[in-house]
DNA sequence: ACTGGCTCCTGAGGGC
DNA sequence: TGCCCTCAGGAGCCAG
């Protein structure tokens, strides 16, 4: 599923190919994504030039002078940059044709993704306005986690995946960062010391950067991951490794559902 | 202010 | 071989 590193890789691919290009045509083949794709997007986007391609959490922001296209890949979405003549896949739901004779297709077989058109400041949009700091920005550190977690009884795993605390940490990277930091995923967020949050924040940043570096390599051709966790999968310590030995101590890795998500951890290394 | 549970959807995988 | 069943999973939303 597209996690923050895949979305960032996608952003870089779009930025390299679409910046300064003009939207020639928009075709919505199936408007039934997470929220119905509004006609205003098809009406107002043609003729507009892409002035920037940004990312906030796992949202992609394609800005024009008339408004911003906000995209979310959900859990099975991908964006494909292809020649317009390429035959359609049955789950290609939206198509944007550009002035450089490239076509971008939003493919999403589960349709948990979203395409939202807004004329206003996208950061003021309800979906973005309450988001916490970007994990790779200077605004994020152990202090943020420590301050925000005081008094909270929810598990640290759920806490990390709450976008209002820190933006864009998905299930895979919550699992991985907690393993690297040696913190048990079911521990109450409010009962973790400052020093451990400092280390956790460092590990969140490091694991995301390492994965982006991998994504940047394996997804260079930009065909989208389409449900695949990406080639960073070979470097995961816990996610997808239930029943296998811990790379650090050899203990068999355990699976528990925490925060409604599969959580894999080492009960010896994580306390 | 928090917290946990529900929801959308389809392909994959297991059982028989 | 094929059919049926179950389930994962991002994150907004809502009730308690």
């Amino acid at each position: 599923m597209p996690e923050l590193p895949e979305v960032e890789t996608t952003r870089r691919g779009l930025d390299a190919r679409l910046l300064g290009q003009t939207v020639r045509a928009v075709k919505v083949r199936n408007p039934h994504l997470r929220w119905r794709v509004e006609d205003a997007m098809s009406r107002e986007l043609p003729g507009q030039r892409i002035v920037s391609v940004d990312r906030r959490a796992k949202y992609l922001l394609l800005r024009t002078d008339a408004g911003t296209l906000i995209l979310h890949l959900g859990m099975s979405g991908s964006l494909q940059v292809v020649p317009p003549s390429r035959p359609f896949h049955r789950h290609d739901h939206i198509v944007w044709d550009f002035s450089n004779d490239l076509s971008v297709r939003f493919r999403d077989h589960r349709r948990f993704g979203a395409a939202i058109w807004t004329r206003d400041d996208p950061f003021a949009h309800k979906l973005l306005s309450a988001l916490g700091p970007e994990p790779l920005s200077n605004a994020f550190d152990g202090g943020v986690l420590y301050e925000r977690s005081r008094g909270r009884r929810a598990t640290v795993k759920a806490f990390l995946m709450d976008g209002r605390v820190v933006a864009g940490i998905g299930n895979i990277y919550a699992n991985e960062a907690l393993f690297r930091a040696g913190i048990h995923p079911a521990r109450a967020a409010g009962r973790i010391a400052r020093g451990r949050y400092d280390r956790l924040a460092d590990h969140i940043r490091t694991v995301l950067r390492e994965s982006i570096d991998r994504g940047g390599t394996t997804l260079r051709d930009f065909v989208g991951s389409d449900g695949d966790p990406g080639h960073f999968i070979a470097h995961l310590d816990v996610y997808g490794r239930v029943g296998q030995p811990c790379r650090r101590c050899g203990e068999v890795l355990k699976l528990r559902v925490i925060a409604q998500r599969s959580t894999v951890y080492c009960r010896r290394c994580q306390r």
Side-chain angles (χ1 to χ4, degrees):
Chain A
M1 64 299 306
E3 291 257 2
L4 188 149
E6 285 76 20
V7 177
E8 176 59 23
T9 301
T10 300
R11 187 199 69 76
R12 293 175 184 187
L14 292 180
D15 188 75
R17 293 163 195 239
L18 301 185
L19 201 61
Q21 300 299 321
T22 299
V23 179
R24 269 190 186 147
V26 178
K27 170 79 176 163
V28 178
R29 305 176 77 236
N30 182 354
H32 301 284
L33 302 185
R34 176 158 192 186
W35 296 285
R36 187 184 172 87
V37 180
E38 295 184 41
D39 294 338
M41 192 266 288
S42 310
R43 274 202 316 270
E44 298 176 20
L45 200 43
Q48 292 298 316
R49 198 169 49 91
I50 304 298
V51 298
S52 70
V53 183
D54 297 315
R55 178 187 59 74
R56 178 75 170 106
K58 297 181 193 168
Y59 292 95
L60 289 165
L61 310 176
L62 279 68
R63 292 183 178 258
T64 74
D65 288 334
T68 302
L69 177 62
I70 303 174
L71 300 176
H72 195 289
L73 301 179
M75 59 165 289
S76 60
S78 64
L79 289 165
Q80 326 257 314
V81 180
V82 298
S85 58
R86 182 79 57 88
F88 286 112
H89 182 280
R90 130 175 127 94
H91 295 294
D92 288 340
H93 302 312
I94 309 178
V95 185
W96 298 272
D97 291 326
F98 286 88
S99 50
N100 57 353
D101 283 320
L102 284 177
S103 198
V104 174
R105 298 180 184 179
F106 185 99
R107 178 179 299 183
D108 185 6
H109 67 82
R110 286 187 189 166
R111 288 188 270 126
F112 284 10
I116 295 154
W117 172 249
T118 177
R119 300 178 196 100
D120 306 321
D121 174 12
F123 295 105
H125 191 279
K126 166 170 93 160
L127 293 173
L128 303 186
S129 61
L131 288 171
E134 282 294 317
L136 295 176
S137 75
N138 292 331
F140 174 69
D141 60 18
V144 169
L145 294 177
Y146 180 75
E147 296 298 336
R148 296 288 317 257
S149 63
R150 292 310 90 186
R152 293 185 63 160
R153 285 173 298 173
T155 63
V156 63
K157 170 90 182 301
F159 176 70
L160 278 188
M161 292 175 66
D162 181 345
R164 293 165 300 183
V165 173
V166 51
I169 307 296
N171 192 38
I172 295 177
Y173 296 100
N175 275 289
E176 294 299 315
L178 287 167
F179 172 78
R180 290 187 182 201
I183 297 172
H184 195 290
R187 177 171 287 275
R191 301 192 56 197
I192 294 174
R194 171 63 197 259
R196 304 190 81 196
Y197 271 129
D198 287 338
R199 288 192 288 280
L200 179 58
D202 287 343
H203 285 297
I204 287 170
R205 257 195 293 275
T206 312
V207 73
L208 288 174
R209 285 216 187 93
E210 288 175 12
S211 182
I212 289 171
D213 290 344
R214 294 277 161 184
T217 300
T218 58
L219 299 180
R220 189 183 300 146
D221 292 335
F222 201 62
V223 288
S225 65
D226 204 13
D228 188 280
H231 291 254
F232 188 71
I233 192 167
H235 302 266
L236 299 176
D237 288 323
V238 286
Y239 185 83
R241 297 193 64 244
V242 191
Q244 295 179 48
C246 171
R247 297 197 205 278
R248 189 176 295 159
C249 78
E251 178 86 14
V252 172
L253 296 178
K254 299 291 180 196
L255 173 69
R256 270 172 72 174
V257 175
I258 300 172
Q260 281 96 31
R261 293 293 173 269
S262 297
T263 306
V264 188
Y265 65 101
C266 174
R267 62 180 179 179
R268 191 186 290 174
C269 293
Q270 294 174 258
R271 303 285 176 164

